[in-house]
Amino acid sequence: MDMTREISDAGSSVSQERLIDTVRYLASDELEGRASGTDGSRKARAYIEEAFREAGLVPAGSDGYLQKIETGVGTNIIGRLDGADPPLGEEVVIVSAHYDHLGRSGDRIFPGADDNASGVAVMLEVARAQQALRSPLGRSILFIAFDSEEPPYFMTGAMGSKFFVNHPTVPIHRIAMMIGTDLLGTDPWPGWEGQLFVMGEEKCPVATSVLDAVAGIEGLAIRRLGIHMVEQFPIWGRHPFSDYAPFRDREIPFLFFTCGRPSFYHSPRDTADKLNYEKMSRIARFIFSTTVLASRTAESFRFERDGENLLSGAEVIGEGLEFVLDSRSPSKVFPGYTRLAWMALKWWRPKVRKILAKLRSGESIGQREIRVLERASLGLQSLTVKLLRR
Ligand SMILES: [Zn+2]
């Protein structure tokens, strides 16, 4: 039986009902926003541990499934599926999602349905679907629910993913690739739907060939962007935004999947009823296939510091700009947008068009043109969201 068929059959065991149940529970009032070190966080942890057990994962933390973050207050949850094939099986592919959120402030609860109960729910489905595979894995797969991704821990030594990289429960040189997921439940805007952004493949040729080999899923558009397109701010410089960053900083290949920040990002309005579960089940099937192919590929993963994918990034940004600026009734399509952001996008459009034409005809572009793409990308991302509100 051919591998593509075997993987897509196994992927069809992804359950939309379970995605809904998981997000509803993690984002329920009972869990009070899952801030690290709280009762709500402990309840979330118990739920995820139980799901790991049901999916047949072997405990791979420092204490069963758990890894206490000694430098902070949180706890990572780590489970493993063994690869069948040494020496390949000694390497690991990580699939991860952070499970903490902002907790509560007085009587306001921040439920964090999209951020990041969505990623946890998808990760759990990816873990469960492995049981439906008929042939063995190559590399082992490590599933990690990271704690303490949110402020005040973000990018400090107390951040779950950073603590893991500093205190890995597997030898760090055996990590072939890290897959990070954050904010998987929404569409950018009505009319521009089904977009799944992936960053990081530009830094690893094998990651690119793995993505190329994943069978397409109807209704899901995989959009490859260089990681700098979402991180590079004017004046501020680089501002990373999720758990991939500590791995990237160690030059470990990574893929970061996200649907982007919705207008209710980091607000009490991030509730379970807002998410697109049909899209999430497509995403779970896509990430499942990516994981299995990454586990089985015989090629070795290598990080390339200077890797770029400017053309595909420019295509995405160009399409987003045209979509936004062609809208007949922006105040309806983009509620809360600012006139200033709109004007800025108008200013970038002709420049982006020129750059895109150049890249399409095979010409190379310079640093200044790359900056234009980064700023147009930030303009799009900040149309309805305050990006630096964390
Ligand atoms: Zn998040």
Side-chain angles (χ1 to χ4, degrees):
M1 174 172 193
D2 86 287
M3 181 148 66
T4 313
R5 180 69 193 285
E6 182 219 355
I7 296 173
S8 65
D9 281 358
S12 64
S13 68
V14 163
S15 154
Q16 194 170 313
E17 283 66 46
R18 270 195 312 248
L19 287 168
I20 296 171
D21 287 348
T22 302
V23 173
R24 276 198 189 141
Y25 178 68
L26 293 176
S28 65
D29 284 354
E30 191 194 337
L31 269 63
E32 298 182 301
R34 309 182 305 281
S36 297
T38 62
D39 264 350
S41 164
R42 270 183 284 281
K43 286 177 185 166
R45 194 186 310 153
Y47 182 91
I48 294 165
E49 272 192 88
E50 183 54 30
F52 274 16
R53 211 168 285 128
E54 276 172 23
L57 306 191
V58 180
S62 41
D63 169 22
Y65 287 116
L66 306 182
Q67 179 189 42
K68 206 173 153 14
I69 302 168
E70 314 280 355
T71 47
V73 296
T75 305
N76 295 328
I77 313 163
I78 311 171
R80 189 184 69 236
L81 277 178
D82 284 319
D85 184 12
L88 206 56
E90 286 173 353
E91 290 187 14
V92 300
V93 172
I94 292 176
V95 182
S96 68
H98 77 85
Y99 72 96
D100 65 310
H101 193 60
L102 298 168
R104 61 186 305 160
S105 151
D107 51 10
R108 291 165 80 217
I109 294 177
F110 293 76
D114 192 32
D115 188 9
N116 185 28
S118 68
V120 174
V122 164
M123 174 183 71
L124 295 179
E125 283 309 297
V126 171
R128 285 169 174 132
Q130 313 282 337
Q131 292 176 318
L133 282 173
R134 267 159 287 188
S135 21
L137 293 170
R139 294 177 180 80
S140 300
I141 302 176
L142 211 55
F143 292 90
I144 311 183
F146 288 119
D147 200 353
S148 308
E149 189 268 356
E150 297 288 0
Y153 312 106
F154 188 70
M155 293 313 282
T156 69
M159 181 188 191
S161 49
K162 191 149 178 155
F163 183 81
F164 179 84
V165 162
N166 291 336
H167 307 271
T169 58
V170 294
I172 196 145
H173 64 275
R174 300 249 167 89
I175 303 172
M177 181 167 78
M178 179 271 190
I179 294 176
T181 62
D182 207 346
L183 305 161
L184 292 181
T186 67
D187 289 302
W189 305 295
W192 205 47
E193 284 143 355
Q195 311 286 322
L196 176 62
F197 304 106
V198 55
M199 282 142 281
E201 56 104 23
E202 75 278 10
K203 303 290 182 202
C204 176
V206 179
T208 304
S209 51
V210 165
L211 280 183
D212 289 343
V214 177
I217 288 179
E218 215 189 309
L220 196 62
I222 309 303
R223 311 309 300 266
R224 305 177 191 199
L225 283 165
I227 191 68
H228 63 106
M229 299 284 194
V230 299
E231 289 190 326
Q232 204 62 42
F233 282 69
I235 303 159
W236 246 60
R238 195 163 86 174
H239 182 73
F241 89 84
S242 192
D243 293 312
Y244 66 83
F247 290 85
R248 185 266 312 277
D249 294 349
R250 289 288 186 102
E251 306 209 325
I252 295 169
F254 69 97
L255 287 176
F256 172 50
F257 289 97
T258 183
C259 298
R261 280 164 282 217
S263 58
F264 50 78
Y265 174 70
H266 282 198
S267 86
R269 290 175 293 117
D270 184 1
T271 48
D273 57 305
K274 304 254 179 34
L275 307 194
N276 181 342
Y277 294 96
E278 202 175 351
K279 181 179 184 184
M280 279 170 60
S281 64
R282 291 178 177 140
I283 292 172
R285 278 153 54 208
F286 188 85
I287 296 179
F288 170 71
S289 301
T290 306
T291 307
V292 177
L293 288 173
S295 155
R296 287 179 178 167
T297 184
E299 294 171 85
S300 17
F301 288 79
R302 212 166 13 81
F303 187 87
E304 279 190 3
R305 206 175 300 163
D306 300 323
E308 308 237 48
N309 55 4
L310 295 170
L311 175 57
S312 63
E315 297 276 6
V316 178
I317 290 156
E319 198 183 300
L321 274 181
E322 302 295 341
F323 175 82
V324 168
L325 295 172
D326 286 350
S327 170
R328 292 270 176 88
S329 47
S331 57
K332 279 196 198 124
V333 184
F334 318 104
Y337 86 103
T338 61
R339 193 76 207 148
L340 195 67
W342 189 266
M343 308 277 283
L345 293 180
K346 272 213 157 126
W347 161 264
W348 295 122
R349 172 154 70 174
K351 300 178 198 305
V352 169
R353 279 180 175 166
K354 233 183 238 163
I355 294 169
L356 195 47
K358 255 179 150 177
L359 287 168
R360 279 177 178 155
S361 69
E363 274 179 71
S364 58
I365 61 171
Q367 279 308 315
R368 272 183 54 193
E369 289 158 306
I370 293 175
R371 291 284 105 90
V372 168
L373 293 175
E374 289 167 356
R375 289 184 188 188
S377 169
L378 283 184
L380 283 170
Q381 293 173 67
S382 55
L383 187 61
T384 57
V385 191
K386 284 196 181 66
L387 285 187
L388 292 178
R389 181 180 66 202
R390 283 205 58 105

